[in-house]
Amino acid sequence: MNKHFGPKEYLETLKQTENLIAVAYPWELIDKIYGDSPLTRALIQSLKNKKPDRKSYCEPIFNDLVSGLSSAMQHQILEQVAIGELLLRDVNATLRKAEGQYSGFVIIVNRGLTTFFYTLTKLILARVGTFPEWERFEQPVLRPVIEFDQVVSLVHQLVKLYHEGKIPELPLEETALKDERLYLLASLQWYAVSFVVAHELGHYLNRHLDRTHSRDQEFSADETGFIVLLNCIYRKRDDIEIMKAIAGVVLALHYIEVLETTSGSRSYNHPPGARRIDRLRERFNFPGIYYNMADSFVSVSRDILKRLR
Amino acid sequence: MNARSENRNPNLRESVMAPLRDRLSTDAQFRNLILSILAAALEKAVYYLPDTSFDAILQDLLPAEVKRLRLNYDETQALFISARVMRVVAKETDKVVVHPIQLLPSPDRYEHWLEKGKIIFGQGMIWNSIRCFDRAIKINPGCAEAWYQKANSLFQVGSITTGIDQSASRVWSQLDFLRGALIEAIDCFDRAIRINREYTEAIYAKGSCLVELGRPDNDFGRVREAIQCFRQVLAIDPSHKNAKLALKMCQDAL
């Protein structure tokens, strides 16, 4: 394999392509939405003790996922797969085969996905009150930061702007999160994006190398991605961390459901989000307690969704 | 609370428990009341991290009903601790038995951690239960049950993937931590078996663990090892139904 024409180089050429930048957000605004507090970014980095990276945390996430694999597989993946974020507003991620003189594969996470996840998680967390399992783990009791009606209207704005292809501008000061909640936000965001990356990695590991994937292939990539992510979390040997990760995964799939229900039509090749959550539940026999945190968040989000319709 | 606990009379607990025990064994209504109250307190308590002592959380978690009984610190503590035993025993029989060991919930005793770990495992907090069993093992490395329970928890961690599909299974065999949990579990089962050579539950579970480990990549070496385990169980206890079944399934697979 020629090193100068590998996946990383392919990714660089993609990033430089003009039409990708044309529909992207201006950087300053992204920073305002995405890392609205330097603390958030610091927290996200501190989760993995990685050097702060101003522009993206996809790479640390990818390295983390890969580091739990056997060394032969690690070597193969790092050689053949590169990961990067593109400044597109689409709420999705893809595994793309390098074209032309380039070899290998690139996982592309669009900035639209990370901002959408981040903003929606933040709104849900701002609304979450205390939930049954929370007190038992000596976590501080959370109280809703904003009123329900206000959250509904903010989510409505956000979703509408996304569907119109515009840049969401939310009054973020009103939903400013502090301390525990902010840390939880950082964790959930980390795991939600981890799952998306792991899902694409799952396509690669399962050798689904066509441009479009069948429904079965999507389910299979979900399962493979989930065990790769779990493997990573089990290193910590901590129940709470597993709960947070499951909450992140369930939320990531739930956000697909949010986009589907609000747009009225499904523009994705993927199976419905709710079905994918059920499928993971069927396949992985966790103790029920592991799902409690995820359930609390999703029920808040479903309440908001009901009002949107 | 600190001043009181320093001054408390060590015999007081027994003097409180003696009449209480009589009443518990004769007055069914009283017993049910106390049982339900304490089960609720216990339910909350076990969710706390294993490193927190029962003493520290006692005051916070005591339900209002117990407070209304106006028991003093030693009385409530004795009650609270006996609840652990009562709850377990009440499940099995109608009688309430209080074992003297259980009235001494000292964190220096391995029984304390073993008991707590088992309860936490029952709630589904697997890694926290492993931490408890580790504490028990640290205090008494010769306790076969502690090794067995730890191994069981690790087995649970490693076997969450029983339902996953073929291609995910193929990847599973490349995952160091998930696989590592099963390998660590087998190691712990071995420790338990080394202490107690006739520990049929541990030998049977080791066999199941080997089957699970060999399943995703059709590792027949593991299955053969598992067959040995099941035969060993049947040599000790020829009426072990699960071992018979498992043995037959393994032989069919080969």
Side-chain angles (χ1 to χ4, degrees):
Chain A
M1 189 192 297
N2 191 332
K3 271 214 155 184
H4 299 288
F5 297 106
K8 281 194 178 143
E9 288 72 22
Y10 179 65
L11 191 66
E12 284 311 308
T13 60
L14 277 184
K15 279 183 178 171
Q16 283 156 15
T17 313
E18 227 167 288
N19 64 349
L20 291 179
I21 295 166
V23 287
Y25 307 123
W27 271 108
E28 307 86 86
L29 192 71
I30 287 162
D31 270 9
K32 197 180 153 207
I33 300 164
Y34 188 53
D36 57 312
S37 119
L39 184 59
T40 313
R41 209 175 287 142
L43 279 171
I44 290 166
Q45 292 307 327
S46 75
L47 284 173
K48 298 287 162 183
N49 296 324
K50 289 271 156 49
K51 223 166 62 181
D53 179 337
R54 216 183 77 83
K55 282 178 185 165
S56 159
Y57 51 73
C58 282
E59 210 162 329
I61 281 179
F62 180 68
N63 290 337
D64 204 50
L65 288 172
V66 172
S67 70
L69 295 161
S70 69
S71 56
M73 207 171 223
Q74 252 182 64
H75 189 74
Q76 184 201 338
I77 290 173
L78 292 176
E79 192 103 311
Q80 289 193 8
V81 186
I83 184 164
E85 263 181 304
L86 290 186
L87 305 183
L88 290 170
R89 64 176 169 74
D90 303 332
V91 187
N92 63 14
T94 48
L95 174 74
R96 194 185 289 194
K97 195 175 190 312
E99 286 158 357
Q101 68 206 21
Y102 300 100
S103 67
F105 298 86
V106 288
I107 293 173
I108 296 163
V109 181
N110 289 317
R111 194 44 78 96
L113 179 131
T114 44
T115 51
F116 188 80
F117 278 20
Y118 186 84
T119 322
L120 210 51
T121 308
K122 190 173 173 186
L123 288 172
I124 290 170
L125 276 183
R127 188 52 216 165
V128 164
T130 182
F131 54 92
E133 302 310 319
W134 200 239
E135 287 171 73
R136 287 177 169 163
F137 307 124
E138 295 177 318
Q139 304 284 352
V141 174
L142 301 177
R143 302 203 185 289
V145 176
I146 44 176
E147 295 299 316
F148 186 65
D149 290 342
Q150 205 181 349
V151 174
V152 172
S153 90
L154 285 171
V155 173
H156 178 68
Q157 281 178 45
L158 172 75
V159 172
K160 201 173 152 214
L161 285 166
Y162 263 102
H163 286 309
E164 286 170 0
K166 287 180 191 156
I167 301 153
E169 281 181 277
L170 294 170
L172 289 154
E173 296 73 27
E174 290 174 35
T175 58
L177 302 179
K178 278 184 227 150
D179 312 329
E180 264 308 305
R181 218 185 287 242
L182 190 59
Y183 189 74
L184 192 56
L185 172 65
S187 297
L188 292 174
Q189 173 75 356
W190 178 278
Y191 289 127
V193 177
S194 281
F195 178 67
V196 172
V197 173
H199 172 93
E200 298 307 327
L201 197 58
H203 279 309
Y204 171 77
L205 292 171
N206 292 347
R207 311 203 170 88
H208 305 152
L209 304 176
D210 303 324
R211 223 23 197 299
T212 54
H213 303 124
S214 71
R215 217 158 239 238
D216 278 346
Q217 284 179 331
E218 293 296 343
F219 281 134
S220 182
D222 271 355
E223 279 176 35
T224 309
F226 194 48
I227 58 170
V228 170
L229 177 58
L230 270 182
N231 187 50
C232 218
I233 298 151
Y234 274 16
R235 180 169 30 188
K236 294 185 181 171
R237 304 175 83 103
D238 185 351
D239 292 313
I240 307 276
E241 216 50 45
I242 299 171
M243 287 178 200
K244 282 183 186 169
I246 290 176
V249 170
V250 170
L251 278 180
L253 293 172
H254 173 69
Y255 293 156
I256 296 165
E257 193 188 335
V258 171
L259 284 172
E260 285 161 4
T261 44
T262 50
S263 73
S265 67
R266 293 202 311 107
S267 53
Y268 309 95
N269 304 323
H270 292 73
R275 180 74 197 91
R276 289 168 75 184
I277 296 175
D278 292 345
R279 170 93 171 201
L280 281 186
R281 273 184 186 230
E282 280 164 24
R283 290 298 174 100
F284 292 86
N285 49 339
F286 286 121
I289 197 171
Y290 281 0
Y291 285 105
N292 286 352
M293 191 189 275
D295 288 344
S296 310
F297 295 148
V298 170
S299 77
V300 168
S301 176
R302 292 230 166 98
D303 284 346
I304 296 170
L305 270 184
K306 263 183 222 158
R307 283 281 299 274
L308 287 183
R309 274 179 221 148
Chain B
M1 181 182 141
N2 284 341
R4 285 195 65 173
S5 26
E6 276 165 28
N7 294 335
R8 75 190 134 144
N9 176 359
N11 297 323
L12 186 61
R13 189 182 293 152
E14 193 45 38
S15 65
V16 167
M17 277 312 293
L20 195 65
R21 221 176 291 151
D22 289 346
R23 202 177 160 192
L24 281 170
S25 56
T26 52
D27 185 347
Q29 212 179 346
F30 178 73
R31 191 183 66 208
N32 289 343
L33 172 76
I34 295 293
L35 261 180
S36 61
I37 291 167
L38 292 172
L42 185 72
E43 197 99 319
K44 277 194 171 182
V46 290
Y47 276 101
Y48 277 69
L49 291 175
D51 306 323
T52 322
S53 77
F54 277 116
D55 281 10
I57 55 178
L58 181 68
Q59 290 296 315
D60 278 357
L61 289 175
L62 213 56
E65 289 92 328
V66 174
K67 281 179 184 155
R68 235 177 286 136
L69 291 173
R70 288 168 203 262
L71 303 175
N72 66 27
Y73 176 77
D74 292 276
E75 286 169 322
T76 48
Q77 199 192 28
L79 261 177
F80 185 74
I81 292 135
S82 58
R84 287 192 302 158
V85 194
M86 287 196 281
R87 192 156 172 259
V88 176
V89 176
K91 261 189 197 168
E92 306 288 329
T93 62
D94 255 6
K95 286 178 188 165
V96 174
V97 186
V98 181
H99 194 283
I101 275 181
Q102 303 291 351
L103 292 175
L104 300 166
S106 155
D108 310 337
R109 298 189 71 95
Y110 75 91
E111 293 98 326
H112 173 88
W113 295 108
L114 192 57
E115 177 77 13
K116 195 167 179 181
K118 280 195 263 181
I119 295 168
I120 292 177
F121 181 74
Q123 309 281 5
M125 305 288 282
I126 304 174
W127 288 113
N128 276 359
S129 76
I130 291 175
R131 265 189 258 167
C132 286
F133 299 134
D134 278 339
R135 295 278 298 254
I137 288 166
K138 205 176 166 193
I139 297 166
N140 181 4
C143 175
E145 197 190 351
W147 285 107
Y148 168 70
Q149 292 292 355
K150 184 186 174 186
N152 237 351
S153 297
L154 285 163
F155 186 16
Q156 172 96 3
V157 166
S159 62
I160 48 139
T161 48
T162 316
I164 60 174
D165 70 11
Q166 199 64 41
S167 44
S169 296
R170 203 170 39 76
V171 174
W172 182 87
S173 57
Q174 303 284 330
L175 300 174
D176 289 353
F177 295 100
L178 286 176
R179 244 179 109 80
L182 286 185
I183 291 166
E184 201 183 332
I186 288 174
D187 190 45
C188 292
F189 281 129
D190 278 339
R191 296 289 291 262
I193 297 163
R194 224 175 295 156
I195 296 163
N196 178 0
R197 295 207 169 270
E198 306 217 322
Y199 202 157
T200 46
E201 286 101 327
I203 305 169
Y204 170 73
K206 185 191 164 190
S208 316
C209 200
L210 284 163
V211 171
E212 189 69 31
L213 193 60
R215 191 178 52 81
D217 42 3
N218 292 327
D219 185 346
F220 291 122
R222 303 273 188 200
V223 180
R224 283 192 197 97
E225 271 182 74
I227 286 178
Q228 278 185 2
C229 289
F230 298 134
R231 283 198 178 130
Q232 215 176 323
V233 173
L234 290 170
I236 300 164
D237 175 9
S239 63
H240 200 294
K241 276 184 190 163
N242 287 343
K244 272 184 205 163
L245 262 170
L247 181 63
K248 193 173 178 300
M249 275 172 74
C250 283
Q251 281 167 339
D252 290 350
L254 288 178

PDB file of all heavy atoms in Angstrom, chain A residues 171-187:
ATOM      1  N   PRO A 171     -31.082  30.315  22.047  1.00  0.00           N
ATOM      2  CA  PRO A 171     -30.632  31.129  23.182  1.00  0.00           C
ATOM      3  C   PRO A 171     -29.995  30.235  24.235  1.00  0.00           C
ATOM      4  O   PRO A 171     -30.639  29.766  25.153  1.00  0.00           O
ATOM      5  CB  PRO A 171     -31.933  31.751  23.692  1.00  0.00           C
ATOM      6  CG  PRO A 171     -33.000  30.825  23.255  1.00  0.00           C
ATOM      7  CD  PRO A 171     -32.521  30.120  22.037  1.00  0.00           C
ATOM      8  N   LEU A 172     -28.722  29.984  24.089  1.00  0.00           N
ATOM      9  CA  LEU A 172     -28.078  28.971  24.915  1.00  0.00           C
ATOM     10  C   LEU A 172     -27.878  29.407  26.357  1.00  0.00           C
ATOM     11  O   LEU A 172     -27.764  28.575  27.243  1.00  0.00           O
ATOM     12  CB  LEU A 172     -26.734  28.587  24.291  1.00  0.00           C
ATOM     13  CG  LEU A 172     -26.918  27.776  23.010  1.00  0.00           C
ATOM     14  CD1 LEU A 172     -25.740  27.941  22.101  1.00  0.00           C
ATOM     15  CD2 LEU A 172     -27.150  26.326  23.338  1.00  0.00           C
ATOM     16  N   GLU A 173     -27.866  30.702  26.575  1.00  0.00           N
ATOM     17  CA  GLU A 173     -27.664  31.172  27.952  1.00  0.00           C
ATOM     18  C   GLU A 173     -28.789  30.653  28.847  1.00  0.00           C
ATOM     19  O   GLU A 173     -28.577  30.330  30.005  1.00  0.00           O
ATOM     20  CB  GLU A 173     -27.638  32.704  28.016  1.00  0.00           C
ATOM     21  CG  GLU A 173     -26.486  33.353  27.268  1.00  0.00           C
ATOM     22  CD  GLU A 173     -26.665  33.299  25.752  1.00  0.00           C
ATOM     23  OE1 GLU A 173     -27.820  33.240  25.291  1.00  0.00           O
ATOM     24  OE2 GLU A 173     -25.652  33.270  25.047  1.00  0.00           O
ATOM     25  N   GLU A 174     -29.985  30.593  28.283  1.00  0.00           N
ATOM     26  CA  GLU A 174     -31.129  30.168  29.083  1.00  0.00           C
ATOM     27  C   GLU A 174     -31.027  28.712  29.513  1.00  0.00           C
ATOM     28  O   GLU A 174     -31.629  28.307  30.492  1.00  0.00           O
ATOM     29  CB  GLU A 174     -32.426  30.345  28.284  1.00  0.00           C
ATOM     30  CG  GLU A 174     -32.792  31.786  28.078  1.00  0.00           C
ATOM     31  CD  GLU A 174     -33.987  31.896  27.162  1.00  0.00           C
ATOM     32  OE1 GLU A 174     -34.855  31.024  27.223  1.00  0.00           O
ATOM     33  OE2 GLU A 174     -34.028  32.863  26.386  1.00  0.00           O
ATOM     34  N   THR A 175     -30.310  27.950  28.729  1.00  0.00           N
ATOM     35  CA  THR A 175     -30.223  26.525  29.062  1.00  0.00           C
ATOM     36  C   THR A 175     -28.843  26.162  29.598  1.00  0.00           C
ATOM     37  O   THR A 175     -28.444  25.010  29.565  1.00  0.00           O
ATOM     38  CB  THR A 175     -30.508  25.660  27.829  1.00  0.00           C
ATOM     39  OG1 THR A 175     -29.570  26.024  26.825  1.00  0.00           O
ATOM     40  CG2 THR A 175     -31.900  25.850  27.326  1.00  0.00           C
ATOM     41  N   ALA A 176     -28.125  27.157  30.085  1.00  0.00           N
ATOM     42  CA  ALA A 176     -26.769  26.876  30.577  1.00  0.00           C
ATOM     43  C   ALA A 176     -26.817  25.811  31.669  1.00  0.00           C
ATOM     44  O   ALA A 176     -27.609  25.903  32.604  1.00  0.00           O
ATOM     45  CB  ALA A 176     -26.152  28.146  31.107  1.00  0.00           C
ATOM     46  N   LEU A 177     -25.992  24.818  31.523  1.00  0.00           N
ATOM     47  CA  LEU A 177     -25.957  23.732  32.494  1.00  0.00           C
ATOM     48  C   LEU A 177     -24.721  23.858  33.366  1.00  0.00           C
ATOM     49  O   LEU A 177     -23.701  24.364  32.942  1.00  0.00           O
ATOM     50  CB  LEU A 177     -25.924  22.382  31.774  1.00  0.00           C
ATOM     51  CG  LEU A 177     -27.063  22.085  30.819  1.00  0.00           C
ATOM     52  CD1 LEU A 177     -26.857  20.736  30.175  1.00  0.00           C
ATOM     53  CD2 LEU A 177     -28.389  22.115  31.541  1.00  0.00           C
ATOM     54  N   LYS A 178     -24.856  23.382  34.577  1.00  0.00           N
ATOM     55  CA  LYS A 178     -23.718  23.500  35.500  1.00  0.00           C
ATOM     56  C   LYS A 178     -23.315  22.134  36.046  1.00  0.00           C
ATOM     57  O   LYS A 178     -24.084  21.199  36.066  1.00  0.00           O
ATOM     58  CB  LYS A 178     -24.121  24.388  36.679  1.00  0.00           C
ATOM     59  CG  LYS A 178     -24.016  25.873  36.353  1.00  0.00           C
ATOM     60  CD  LYS A 178     -24.343  26.680  37.591  1.00  0.00           C
ATOM     61  CE  LYS A 178     -25.318  27.780  37.263  1.00  0.00           C
ATOM     62  NZ  LYS A 178     -26.186  28.132  38.345  1.00  0.00           N
ATOM     63  N   ASP A 179     -22.102  22.076  36.540  1.00  0.00           N
ATOM     64  CA  ASP A 179     -21.575  20.983  37.352  1.00  0.00           C
ATOM     65  C   ASP A 179     -21.930  19.591  36.847  1.00  0.00           C
ATOM     66  O   ASP A 179     -21.576  19.209  35.763  1.00  0.00           O
ATOM     67  CB  ASP A 179     -22.052  21.137  38.801  1.00  0.00           C
ATOM     68  CG  ASP A 179     -21.840  22.556  39.279  1.00  0.00           C
ATOM     69  OD1 ASP A 179     -20.873  23.159  38.793  1.00  0.00           O
ATOM     70  OD2 ASP A 179     -22.635  23.043  40.073  1.00  0.00           O
ATOM     71  N   GLU A 180     -22.683  18.860  37.687  1.00  0.00           N
ATOM     72  CA  GLU A 180     -22.972  17.457  37.420  1.00  0.00           C
ATOM     73  C   GLU A 180     -23.638  17.266  36.069  1.00  0.00           C
ATOM     74  O   GLU A 180     -23.328  16.367  35.314  1.00  0.00           O
ATOM     75  CB  GLU A 180     -23.890  16.900  38.497  1.00  0.00           C
ATOM     76  CG  GLU A 180     -23.179  16.176  39.601  1.00  0.00           C
ATOM     77  CD  GLU A 180     -22.237  15.116  39.093  1.00  0.00           C
ATOM     78  OE1 GLU A 180     -22.686  14.244  38.330  1.00  0.00           O
ATOM     79  OE2 GLU A 180     -21.047  15.163  39.454  1.00  0.00           O
ATOM     80  N   ARG A 181     -24.582  18.136  35.804  1.00  0.00           N
ATOM     81  CA  ARG A 181     -25.368  17.987  34.601  1.00  0.00           C
ATOM     82  C   ARG A 181     -24.496  18.178  33.359  1.00  0.00           C
ATOM     83  O   ARG A 181     -24.651  17.511  32.357  1.00  0.00           O
ATOM     84  CB  ARG A 181     -26.495  19.006  34.618  1.00  0.00           C
ATOM     85  CG  ARG A 181     -27.779  18.463  34.064  1.00  0.00           C
ATOM     86  CD  ARG A 181     -28.792  19.534  34.005  1.00  0.00           C
ATOM     87  NE  ARG A 181     -29.291  19.900  35.311  1.00  0.00           N
ATOM     88  CZ  ARG A 181     -30.559  19.774  35.660  1.00  0.00           C
ATOM     89  NH1 ARG A 181     -31.431  19.271  34.830  1.00  0.00           N
ATOM     90  NH2 ARG A 181     -30.969  20.148  36.836  1.00  0.00           N
ATOM     91  N   LEU A 182     -23.561  19.125  33.493  1.00  0.00           N
ATOM     92  CA  LEU A 182     -22.662  19.389  32.375  1.00  0.00           C
ATOM     93  C   LEU A 182     -21.743  18.182  32.146  1.00  0.00           C
ATOM     94  O   LEU A 182     -21.464  17.789  31.018  1.00  0.00           O
ATOM     95  CB  LEU A 182     -21.831  20.636  32.674  1.00  0.00           C
ATOM     96  CG  LEU A 182     -21.019  21.180  31.519  1.00  0.00           C
ATOM     97  CD1 LEU A 182     -21.924  21.545  30.363  1.00  0.00           C
ATOM     98  CD2 LEU A 182     -20.230  22.400  31.961  1.00  0.00           C
ATOM     99  N   TYR A 183     -21.320  17.604  33.238  1.00  0.00           N
ATOM    100  CA  TYR A 183     -20.456  16.427  33.133  1.00  0.00           C
ATOM    101  C   TYR A 183     -21.220  15.267  32.490  1.00  0.00           C
ATOM    102  O   TYR A 183     -20.698  14.536  31.656  1.00  0.00           O
ATOM    103  CB  TYR A 183     -19.960  16.029  34.522  1.00  0.00           C
ATOM    104  CG  TYR A 183     -18.908  14.966  34.466  1.00  0.00           C
ATOM    105  CD1 TYR A 183     -17.615  15.272  34.057  1.00  0.00           C
ATOM    106  CD2 TYR A 183     -19.204  13.644  34.760  1.00  0.00           C
ATOM    107  CE1 TYR A 183     -16.648  14.297  33.967  1.00  0.00           C
ATOM    108  CE2 TYR A 183     -18.240  12.666  34.672  1.00  0.00           C
ATOM    109  CZ  TYR A 183     -16.971  12.991  34.278  1.00  0.00           C
ATOM    110  OH  TYR A 183     -16.023  12.023  34.170  1.00  0.00           O
ATOM    111  N   LEU A 184     -22.474  15.152  32.892  1.00  0.00           N
ATOM    112  CA  LEU A 184     -23.325  14.110  32.326  1.00  0.00           C
ATOM    113  C   LEU A 184     -23.516  14.354  30.831  1.00  0.00           C
ATOM    114  O   LEU A 184     -23.469  13.423  30.023  1.00  0.00           O
ATOM    115  CB  LEU A 184     -24.675  14.134  33.046  1.00  0.00           C
ATOM    116  CG  LEU A 184     -25.612  12.970  32.825  1.00  0.00           C
ATOM    117  CD1 LEU A 184     -24.948  11.662  33.172  1.00  0.00           C
ATOM    118  CD2 LEU A 184     -26.858  13.154  33.683  1.00  0.00           C
ATOM    119  N   LEU A 185     -23.705  15.625  30.476  1.00  0.00           N
ATOM    120  CA  LEU A 185     -23.848  15.997  29.066  1.00  0.00           C
ATOM    121  C   LEU A 185     -22.616  15.576  28.279  1.00  0.00           C
ATOM    122  O   LEU A 185     -22.719  14.980  27.197  1.00  0.00           O
ATOM    123  CB  LEU A 185     -24.061  17.510  28.957  1.00  0.00           C
ATOM    124  CG  LEU A 185     -24.044  18.116  27.553  1.00  0.00           C
ATOM    125  CD1 LEU A 185     -25.196  17.599  26.731  1.00  0.00           C
ATOM    126  CD2 LEU A 185     -24.111  19.634  27.624  1.00  0.00           C
ATOM    127  N   ALA A 186     -21.451  15.872  28.836  1.00  0.00           N
ATOM    128  CA  ALA A 186     -20.205  15.506  28.160  1.00  0.00           C
ATOM    129  C   ALA A 186     -20.119  13.997  27.971  1.00  0.00           C
ATOM    130  O   ALA A 186     -19.768  13.508  26.896  1.00  0.00           O
ATOM    131  CB  ALA A 186     -19.017  16.023  28.955  1.00  0.00           C
ATOM    132  N   SER A 187     -20.477  13.236  29.027  1.00  0.00           N
ATOM    133  CA  SER A 187     -20.423  11.769  28.932  1.00  0.00           C
ATOM    134  C   SER A 187     -21.392  11.250  27.886  1.00  0.00           C
ATOM    135  O   SER A 187     -21.039  10.401  27.070  1.00  0.00           O
ATOM    136  CB  SER A 187     -20.796  11.121  30.263  1.00  0.00           C
ATOM    137  OG  SER A 187     -19.888  11.454  31.237  1.00  0.00           O
TER     138      SER A 187
END
